[in-house]
Amino acid sequence: SCSRHGHKEKHPIRIFHSLRHRDYALFWCTDMLGSVGQFVEEVALYWITYEITGSAMALGVLGLCSATPRLILGAFSGVLVDRYDRKLLLILVQFGCALPISIFLAIYTYGTLAFWHLLVLEILFGSIRAINPSAAQSILGELVPREDIMNAVSLYTVGFNIARIAGPSLGGVLIILIGVGGCYGAYLVALLISGTGMLFIRTQKEESIKREGNFVREFKEGFHYVWHAPVILSSIVAAYTFAVFVVTYQSFLPVFAKEILQVGPRGLGILMAAPGLGGIASLSFLAAVGERWNRAMLLWIMTTTTPICLILFCVSPIFWLSVLLLALVGAGQVSFRTISRVIIQIEAPRHLMGRVMSVFNLDQGMRSIGSIILGASATLFGASLGLALTAAASLIVTTALFYRLLGKKI
């Protein structure tokens, strides 16, 4: 399936050739279904939270409860991913997540939903899903040959961003048609189908999975490797900076949709879908230039343009201009994470893959800090100015980081 000159990764369409591998195709479809359902649930969660509280700070606290378990448990999850069957772990996550969703539906249907219910359920949900990012990204090497890793990573990113487009858009419509409870019910069904589908995946294990050894020593090995890999280290620190100052902006989009742009839940769905659309478009750019440009240079460009576009979004009074700017924000985020993941997949040893990926994915836990910082900033200065200030802080930090760590390489 290679082109005449052997440059299959440079052609954007070639990334879909990974689907010719039966088990990767099954994983890709089931994982994307679960992701679509999660984004539907996320829109409903943000909307009901803001309706109950009317507070931007409450959205920040909700984000804190969602991300803190990933911060606390995320790094340790890498050891579990390297020790145990990654497919089994992913299946357990899918079925496990059905528990807090079912509890929400019971309270929403038969009780009086309060803000503290949402906080407790997000802590439970975040704890169960803490292992999912590392397991999902580490299993790719067991589903495709090594020469198809770059395509598999790119297509995995495409799937996630299709979910980022379809999920919020669908969620915004479903809130109107079937309500918040219906959105949660749809996610519950998606989880059960996704978990059942993963039962039929066959993985290619290179060696027997190690189940003994010192847990703390294995945990430290991942950090030790990252510390001595400059490009990986710089991308991880930049990811943490994004998480603290930029990424949780999506939690505050209900404020823009309801008060600033005045577009309601349907408009909120479009705003939340825009970054995913930009993310998919960005993969064509990466396919065209990713092999010719210095990866460190691409990382620096993305960490610069992303906060600038977010600042412009914060001052935009026009809905469709805001959608375009959010698409550019999403393009920068996805390009940054895709380049970082490819670097890790290529450079990190297979026996350390889960731990290195878990250190990278700790940025999802760092969002707990970001939620509070953005929430406080939005409360003190208003949503527009507050988010613009935190984006400016990210721009300053990442510029200094790459100048110091990668200046010579660039």
Side-chain angles (χ1 to χ4, degrees):
S1 62
C2 296
S3 66
R4 181 180 304 174
H5 300 289
H7 296 302
K8 66 178 181 178
E9 282 82 12
K10 290 186 180 182
H11 195 292
I13 304 302
R14 294 288 186 181
I15 61 175
F16 289 97
H17 281 203
S18 299
L19 292 177
R20 72 184 186 276
H21 301 290
R22 176 254 186 200
D23 298 297
Y24 178 84
L26 183 55
F27 167 76
W28 188 81
C29 292
T30 54
D31 183 78
M32 186 171 67
L33 175 63
S35 297
V36 169
Q38 185 180 354
F39 280 112
V40 168
E41 177 266 344
E42 196 172 85
V43 173
L45 172 63
Y46 290 155
W47 188 259
I48 193 67
T49 299
Y50 195 63
E51 286 228 314
I52 290 174
T53 65
S55 167
M57 191 64 198
L59 295 172
V61 174
L62 183 69
L64 173 68
C65 292
S66 176
T68 297
R70 301 175 192 174
L71 178 61
I72 297 174
L73 303 174
F76 292 100
S77 71
V79 179
L80 299 178
V81 168
D82 284 337
R83 278 191 177 196
Y84 301 111
D85 190 318
R86 292 160 183 169
K87 185 187 83 169
L88 176 60
L89 292 174
L90 287 169
I91 293 171
L92 291 175
V93 167
Q94 302 305 309
F95 288 125
C97 285
L99 175 62
I101 300 302
S102 299
I103 294 174
F104 173 92
L105 283 171
I107 297 174
Y108 185 79
T109 304
Y110 301 108
T112 302
L113 186 68
F115 180 51
W116 72 267
H117 292 140
L118 300 177
L119 299 182
V120 172
L121 291 175
E122 274 302 286
I123 292 173
L124 176 59
F125 182 79
S127 299
I128 295 171
R129 282 194 64 84
I131 198 172
N132 190 78
S134 299
Q137 293 164 36
S138 298
I139 202 174
L140 299 181
E142 299 176 13
L143 302 176
V144 299
R146 186 161 181 82
E147 61 268 18
D148 285 340
I149 282 291
M150 185 173 294
N151 284 351
V153 173
S154 297
L155 186 55
Y156 177 82
T157 306
V158 168
F160 180 77
N161 283 280
I162 290 175
R164 288 183 72 183
I165 297 169
S169 301
L170 184 60
V173 173
L174 289 179
I175 290 175
I176 298 173
L177 296 179
I178 58 177
V180 170
C183 292
Y184 270 78
Y187 183 36
L188 178 61
V189 172
L191 283 171
L192 297 178
I193 294 175
S194 178
T196 302
M198 287 184 181
L199 289 170
F200 298 95
I201 295 174
R202 300 186 303 261
T203 58
Q204 306 165 4
K205 298 182 178 65
E206 297 179 356
E207 56 185 23
S208 60
I209 300 174
K210 180 174 59 176
R211 299 177 184 272
E212 66 279 341
N214 186 288
F215 190 93
V216 175
R217 179 181 58 78
E218 293 180 29
F219 175 74
K220 290 180 178 178
E221 280 180 0
F223 281 95
H224 182 268
Y225 174 83
V226 168
W227 187 256
H228 292 88
V231 178
I232 292 178
L233 176 63
S234 60
S235 66
I236 287 175
V237 174
Y240 292 174
T241 303
F242 263 25
V244 171
F245 293 114
V246 173
V247 174
T248 52
Y249 73 88
Q250 286 192 295
S251 300
F252 303 92
L253 290 182
V255 182
F256 287 86
K258 194 167 188 178
E259 297 180 1
I260 298 173
L261 299 172
Q262 299 180 349
V263 290
R266 191 186 299 269
L268 174 61
I270 295 174
L271 288 173
M272 293 191 69
L277 181 62
I280 290 180
S282 73
L283 292 173
S284 297
F285 167 76
L286 290 181
V289 306
E291 295 295 324
R292 292 177 295 181
W293 283 39
N294 182 298
R295 289 194 180 101
M297 172 67 80
L298 287 175
L299 289 175
W300 196 340
I301 290 173
M302 298 312 162
T303 56
T304 300
T305 57
T306 302
I308 290 176
C309 290
L310 183 57
I311 292 170
L312 294 175
F313 163 77
C314 290
V315 299
S316 167
I318 303 171
F319 175 66
W320 289 110
L321 176 59
S322 298
V323 171
L324 173 62
L325 290 167
L326 283 181
L328 294 175
V329 171
Q333 286 180 268
V334 169
S335 297
F336 168 78
R337 291 189 68 82
T338 301
I339 297 166
S340 298
R341 286 171 181 165
V342 169
I343 289 171
I344 293 173
Q345 289 281 353
I346 291 175
E347 295 192 7
R350 300 306 309 171
H351 71 281
L352 288 173
M353 184 65 64
R355 279 164 281 179
V356 176
M357 198 66 75
S358 72
V359 175
F360 176 74
N361 285 325
L362 274 180
D363 71 316
Q364 298 191 24
M366 294 286 182
R367 296 177 187 180
S368 60
I369 302 172
S371 294
I372 293 300
I373 290 177
L374 268 67
S377 185
T379 301
L380 290 173
F381 305 107
S384 295
L385 179 58
L387 267 62
L389 290 174
T390 60
S394 172
L395 181 61
I396 294 170
V397 172
T398 54
T399 299
L401 168 73
F402 279 95
Y403 180 80
R404 175 152 190 157
L405 289 181
L406 296 176
K408 293 181 180 178
K409 292 180 179 292
I410 293 176

